[in-house]
Amino acid sequence: MALKTNVIGFPRIGKNRELKFASEKFFKGEIGEAELEKTAEELRAYGWKKQKDAGISFIPSNDFSFYDNMLDTAFLLGAVPARYEGLKLSGLEKYFAAAHGYQGNAGDVKALPMKKWFNTNYHYIVPEISDDTVISLQKDNKVLKEFKEAKSLGIQTVPTVIGAYTFLHLASYTGNKKSADFVSSIVDAFTTLAKELSDAGSEWISFAEPALVFDLSESDKALFVSIYKNLISKIRVESKIKIILQTYFGDIRDVYTEVCALGFDAIGLDFVEGKKSLELLTKGFPKDTLLFAGLINGKNIWRADFQKKNEILEQIKKSVPEENIVIGTSCSLLHVPYTTGSEEKLSAETLQHLSYAEEKLTEIRDFATGEKSAFENNKKLFEKERVTKNEAVRQAIKNLKEEDFTRKPDFAEREKIQHEEFKLPLFPTTTIGSFPQTKEVRANRAAYKKGAITREQYVEFNQKKIKECIHLQEELGLDVLVHGEFERNDMVEYFGNQLDGYIFTQNAWVQSYGTRCVKPPVIWGDVSRNKPMTVEWSVFAQKQTDKIVKGMLTGPVTILNWSFPREDISLKEQAEQLALAIRDEVLDLEKNGIKIIQIDEAALREKLPLRHSDWHSEYLDWAIPAFRLVHAKVKPQTQIHTHMCYSEFNDIIRDIDAMDADVITFEASRADLKILDALKEANFRTEVGPGVYDIHSARVPSVEEIVGALEKMLFKVQKEKLWVNPDCGLKTRGDEETAASLKNLVAAARELRARNS
């Protein structure tokens, strides 16, 4: 029999990034709210129609967002800090002010904090709840509006919303009240929401509760149960709507029994990342309850192996009647591109192995219906050997020894050598790497890629930009310079383009946060480096100045985490292959006179398992050594920097210290410098540069603001170990605001130097 199907969420940026470009025009005042809303309506309609045409039984609505669903939920519930509500701006302008800050006639506010969304490269906005926050369903009900919008198109959807437990669990609390104090009001708000949706004709409401896949304490479980015991009871009284509890990114082993006992009409479980999901079903599954079985991987772009998926399905059927099984995605398809139909340059042989969002809709349908020819074609696909092995790379991995991962001499001795070598002032100033990627910069790169200009013209333009960048930094008074990275489209794609073992897409764009989209390269086979990748640019930059210019690389773990990885070999082996390739580049930079080399590991924490018990065995035990493998062979005089951003590092701070870098810069400005406490508690030995201002906002920080941040840092960090820098690269910023911000940064460092000399 054909099984029903569901999708947890669909991409929203547009096949050609229409939402990104429309939003950016809105920010610049080039279009109004009406035109931006029109673009959004078209994108929502596109996704709903694609799912309907694919025969998806349960199509989500409210999965669309102008910026982020957690931020949407905060506005839906009225959990918006007074500093944004007080701005004399429209509703949508206030929303964007909370997302990325605002500086103008209406006021000056920083953005809300931003963190990684579980184990993905997507970032969410952290809601801020104070003791004065009053949670209630707002009149501007986005969930209801979008349900009605889909219905007007003849499409019945399942309104989906971030669940009360996940929302309260991930929120930040600024006063004495905690999550339990807001249970009653959030239950009332969601009860009202369910009633309004039911009255409008909705048959279902889906509460997304990915936070249930974390390690849960007894108090966590009690909070979850108290929320849904009350919420389900009240919804049953107020409406006839059916309730889905949707989970993803892992299994719910700590609360499975409680979930089954609460009386949901459907429960969504992840059978891709949920290691114990099958085992949990053997404990029993509630009668007359639908199981939304997340079998199709929502985070990777490879075709599903129907034979393997069918083996899992047969196991599921032992615990759940076939008629109660719904086949769907393991998580939202937000994390994959739109369609392989946009890939004109990849061969048909390659494309047959890839599946983006629209192809996954077809896979779900074919698998759920048991379509015979689809199963036969799928079987043939997986019978072929896709990858040609690189024996030299594989042998190099086998030959690795302990000394390949250990740098000598030890940190303390290197620190003394480097201080004598560089003679940098107290509180040395630097940036994270990239400088603004203007239209001119992007146009030069695009013209070269299309063959419209020669390599000589391309290089000449970039060298001109590097000279200007070096001159600007000298003029501003920065101590350690960068070359600006004008040749790079993306910190991972740039390297992937030059490594053997990768393939590259034209339009495989996915949303990272807000209007920021990335195009992850695809690891196709064994990875190796065949020639230097950055040496030319770094050497040219260093020749323009007597100051030190950092060599800029991306580390192996970040390259892996921000690529679409292979599924036929382990992540550990892929990381080691990448590490050996980047090691070759590090040693070439050193050989060519580059004295400071930054190896960014922005995404180190991103793939940290969500359960603490798996942290070392499944990730850190190979991720940290992979980084050490990259730099273990450099001279003690060569200073190794790394950078990390937009994650919570406090709980792995000792592991980060074990990376054995000489200097680490962190994103810290949006997190109120909370990482400083962890650094002090861990007796962090590495020199550090916690970011002093947020580069994801166009606002320019004052000298006083930066001085204040640095003074806070000095309570936790020794003055000899403190660097001064922005919290991330400046690629997305404009020239004018960048220069103004860095001018203030240097002035603040000098003021602090004068006080501490």
Side-chain angles (χ1 to χ4, degrees):
M1 66 179 277
L3 303 178
K4 290 184 177 180
T5 54
N6 82 291
V7 169
I8 294 174
F10 197 74
R12 61 210 186 199
I13 58 173
K15 283 172 65 177
N16 298 302
R17 294 177 288 163
E18 292 90 341
L19 183 62
K20 168 187 171 64
F21 298 124
S23 296
E24 290 173 349
K25 285 182 179 179
F26 176 72
F27 301 155
K28 296 173 185 175
E30 296 174 4
I31 63 172
E33 284 191 22
E35 191 170 342
L36 180 57
E37 290 281 8
K38 183 174 182 294
T39 298
E41 287 177 15
E42 291 170 352
L43 294 174
R44 289 192 290 265
Y46 178 90
W48 289 328
K49 288 175 181 176
K50 281 291 178 183
Q51 292 171 82
K52 183 180 180 182
D53 291 346
I56 300 299
S57 313
F58 295 88
I59 298 171
S61 58
N62 194 49
D63 52 335
F64 174 86
S65 178
F66 279 110
Y67 204 94
D68 170 58
N69 292 119
M70 281 289 285
L71 184 61
D72 293 347
T73 309
F75 272 77
L76 176 75
L77 299 173
V80 181
R83 62 183 178 277
Y84 304 112
E85 291 290 5
L87 297 171
K88 294 179 180 178
L89 298 171
S90 72
L92 193 54
E93 287 171 330
K94 287 179 186 177
Y95 173 87
F96 283 123
H100 53 61
Y102 175 86
Q103 191 173 46
N105 295 333
D108 184 356
V109 292
K110 292 183 180 180
L112 286 168
M114 185 163 66
K115 292 182 181 178
K116 294 282 187 180
W117 181 244
F118 293 81
N119 55 0
T120 74
N121 182 32
Y122 177 76
H123 306 63
Y124 74 97
I125 299 295
V126 182
E128 181 184 298
I129 299 178
S130 71
D131 289 351
D132 297 328
T133 300
V134 177
I135 290 181
S136 64
L137 187 67
Q138 302 299 289
K139 290 181 181 178
D140 185 17
N141 186 336
K142 176 180 179 292
V143 188
L144 180 64
K145 173 181 170 289
E146 292 181 12
F147 170 76
K148 288 180 175 179
E149 188 180 310
K151 197 171 183 183
S152 72
L153 298 172
I155 301 172
Q156 185 74 10
T157 60
V158 176
T160 180
V161 65
I162 300 290
Y165 176 77
T166 294
F167 181 80
L168 293 176
H169 183 80
L170 297 181
S172 170
Y173 298 86
T174 61
N176 296 317
K177 290 183 179 179
K178 299 302 177 189
S179 54
D181 297 303
F182 296 93
V183 168
S184 178
S185 57
I186 201 169
V187 165
D188 287 345
F190 280 149
T191 300
T192 304
L193 173 63
K195 185 179 187 308
E196 290 185 4
L197 288 168
S198 181
D199 291 345
S202 180
E203 299 172 10
W204 294 85
I205 183 170
S206 178
F207 293 110
E209 291 288 8
L212 294 181
V213 307
F214 287 129
D215 293 314
L216 301 187
S217 66
E218 290 302 317
S219 61
D220 291 330
K221 290 194 282 186
L223 178 65
F224 167 75
V225 171
S226 70
I227 290 170
Y228 281 97
K229 192 173 181 180
N230 291 327
L231 182 56
I232 293 172
S233 175
K234 289 192 172 186
I235 289 177
R236 299 290 188 228
V237 171
E238 295 287 339
S239 71
K240 296 181 180 179
I241 202 166
K242 294 179 181 178
I243 306 166
I244 303 168
L245 180 80
Q246 183 64 65
T247 68
Y248 39 87
F249 300 143
D251 61 67
I252 59 170
R253 68 188 76 164
D254 294 337
V255 74
Y256 178 77
T257 302
E258 289 82 356
V259 165
C260 290
L262 280 166
F264 291 103
D265 299 290
I267 298 169
L269 300 179
D270 182 351
F271 290 92
V272 174
E273 292 187 279
K275 292 191 298 182
K276 291 186 177 291
S277 291
L278 274 175
E279 181 184 327
L280 292 173
L281 287 182
T282 63
K283 296 181 178 182
F285 190 77
K287 188 180 178 183
D288 300 325
T289 301
L290 297 183
L291 171 65
F292 282 47
L295 283 165
I296 302 299
N297 193 336
K299 288 167 66 175
N300 213 341
I301 46 89
W302 302 101
R303 288 276 177 186
D305 185 333
F306 281 2
Q307 183 175 338
K308 290 182 178 178
K309 298 298 178 184
N310 203 48
E311 290 171 3
I312 298 172
L313 179 58
E314 290 304 313
Q315 291 294 110
I316 292 172
K317 287 179 182 178
K318 293 178 181 179
S319 302
V320 183
E322 188 172 351
E323 62 271 19
N324 288 351
I325 299 173
V326 179
I327 302 297
T329 57
S330 64
C331 63
S332 172
L333 297 178
L334 165 73
H335 308 292
V336 295
Y338 269 78
T339 174
T340 61
S342 299
E343 303 295 348
E344 298 170 350
K345 294 184 179 179
L346 291 175
S347 68
E349 174 65 26
T350 297
L351 286 174
Q352 67 177 332
H353 294 281
L354 306 181
S355 178
Y356 299 176
E358 292 179 23
E359 289 72 39
K360 288 182 188 294
L361 299 180
T362 303
E363 284 190 294
I364 292 167
R365 180 195 63 203
D366 289 346
F367 184 74
T369 58
E371 209 280 318
K372 187 176 179 182
S373 62
F375 268 73
E376 288 174 352
N377 290 334
N378 186 270
K379 183 180 179 182
K380 290 177 184 176
L381 182 68
F382 283 91
E383 285 175 344
K384 301 175 185 175
E385 185 70 39
R386 183 180 63 78
V387 175
T388 301
K389 297 175 183 178
N390 185 324
E391 292 301 335
V393 170
R394 297 192 174 206
Q395 192 59 47
I397 298 294
K398 289 180 183 177
N399 292 341
L400 287 173
K401 299 179 177 62
E402 187 177 343
E403 54 262 35
D404 292 313
F405 299 88
T406 306
R407 190 174 176 196
K408 294 179 180 178
D410 65 18
F411 178 85
E413 188 174 343
R414 294 200 314 267
E415 189 174 36
K416 290 177 184 175
I417 293 170
Q418 290 165 13
H419 280 196
E420 181 61 31
E421 173 82 12
F422 301 134
K423 294 183 172 60
L424 292 169
L426 207 57
F427 313 123
T429 56
T430 190
T431 66
I432 303 306
S434 59
F435 264 64
Q437 295 260 323
T438 61
K439 287 182 180 178
E440 187 184 24
V441 170
R442 294 194 299 272
N444 177 65
R445 196 164 52 237
Y448 176 56
K449 190 174 181 181
K450 292 175 184 175
I453 60 174
T454 65
R455 172 164 172 78
E456 289 73 20
Q457 290 172 305
Y458 169 74
V459 170
E460 183 181 357
F461 174 90
N462 282 337
Q463 288 182 343
K464 176 175 173 287
K465 294 299 294 182
I466 290 170
K467 284 181 181 179
E468 291 172 356
C469 185
I470 295 293
H471 177 70
L472 173 63
Q473 292 172 85
E474 288 180 323
E475 195 175 70
L476 290 169
L478 288 160
D479 299 305
V480 175
L481 314 187
V482 297
H483 77 280
E485 301 181 16
F486 303 108
E487 77 284 5
R488 303 185 191 184
N489 48 358
D490 175 83
M491 65 183 292
V492 170
E493 187 178 1
Y494 173 79
F495 289 96
N497 268 310
Q498 301 182 79
L499 291 169
D500 292 336
Y502 267 89
I503 60 171
F504 310 94
T505 64
Q506 282 174 281
N507 292 296
W509 295 102
V510 294
Q511 185 181 20
S512 178
Y513 63 84
T515 60
R516 168 74 170 150
C517 302
V518 294
K519 188 151 57 74
V522 181
I523 303 179
W524 181 266
D526 294 333
V527 174
S528 61
R529 190 195 76 145
N530 57 56
K531 63 178 186 288
M533 302 178 285
T534 67
V535 174
E536 170 189 8
W537 306 111
S538 292
V539 168
F540 177 82
Q542 185 61 78
K543 287 179 179 178
Q544 311 309 309
T545 181
D546 292 331
K547 290 190 171 184
I548 298 171
V549 179
K550 290 190 286 188
M552 302 299 304
L553 304 173
T554 304
V557 180
T558 294
I559 293 178
L560 175 61
N561 287 345
W562 285 356
S563 300
F564 289 118
R566 293 165 64 177
E567 294 183 338
D568 60 316
I569 65 172
S570 71
L571 293 175
K572 175 180 182 289
E573 187 171 347
Q574 291 175 75
E576 288 176 343
Q577 290 183 3
L578 284 161
L580 289 175
I582 301 301
R583 184 178 74 174
D584 290 345
E585 189 72 14
V586 167
L587 296 176
D588 270 348
L589 284 168
E590 183 183 63
K591 191 191 308 178
N592 282 274
I594 304 303
K595 297 178 179 179
I596 296 181
I597 302 170
Q598 182 169 309
I599 308 163
D600 286 342
E601 284 292 13
L604 177 76
R605 198 187 195 283
E606 185 173 298
K607 291 297 188 287
L608 190 70
L610 299 177
R611 293 186 177 276
H612 289 208
S613 58
D614 298 332
W615 281 8
H616 282 273
S617 61
E618 293 190 5
Y619 186 68
L620 292 174
D621 284 352
W622 59 259
I624 301 299
F627 181 85
R628 292 202 303 264
L629 177 59
V630 170
H631 69 82
K633 300 297 184 183
V634 300
K635 301 171 185 175
Q637 292 85 355
T638 300
Q639 191 173 75
I640 298 296
H641 289 219
T642 190
H643 172 71
M644 300 176 188
C645 57
Y646 292 107
S647 286
E648 297 177 72
F649 299 110
N650 302 20
D651 46 11
I652 60 166
I653 206 71
R654 287 182 173 84
D655 297 287
I656 291 172
D657 215 8
M659 293 168 72
D660 206 19
D662 299 305
V663 180
I664 296 182
T665 53
F666 292 100
E667 180 279 324
S669 61
R670 279 198 176 193
D672 294 326
L673 303 174
K674 291 177 182 176
I675 195 171
L676 298 175
D677 293 323
L679 295 175
K680 186 174 183 180
E681 185 181 335
N683 294 314
F684 200 71
R685 65 178 182 174
T686 314
E687 295 183 20
V688 294
V692 294
Y693 76 89
D694 175 22
I695 65 87
H696 294 86
S697 173
R699 65 182 297 277
V700 176
S702 66
V703 175
E704 294 74 23
E705 182 181 320
I706 297 173
V707 168
L710 290 170
E711 286 176 333
K712 286 183 183 177
M713 293 176 191
L714 284 174
F715 282 110
K716 313 287 184 179
V717 179
Q718 296 173 36
K719 64 182 181 180
E720 295 81 9
K721 288 183 176 287
L722 183 60
W723 286 64
V724 182
N725 47 263
D727 67 0
C728 206
L730 300 165
K731 180 163 88 173
T732 60
R733 299 273 51 90
D735 286 332
E736 189 175 327
E737 72 210 42
T738 293
S741 297
L742 292 178
K743 181 180 178 181
N744 290 350
L745 180 148
V746 171
R750 286 174 174 170
E751 184 174 327
L752 215 62
R753 255 175 231 156
R755 294 183 194 176
N756 287 270
S757 296

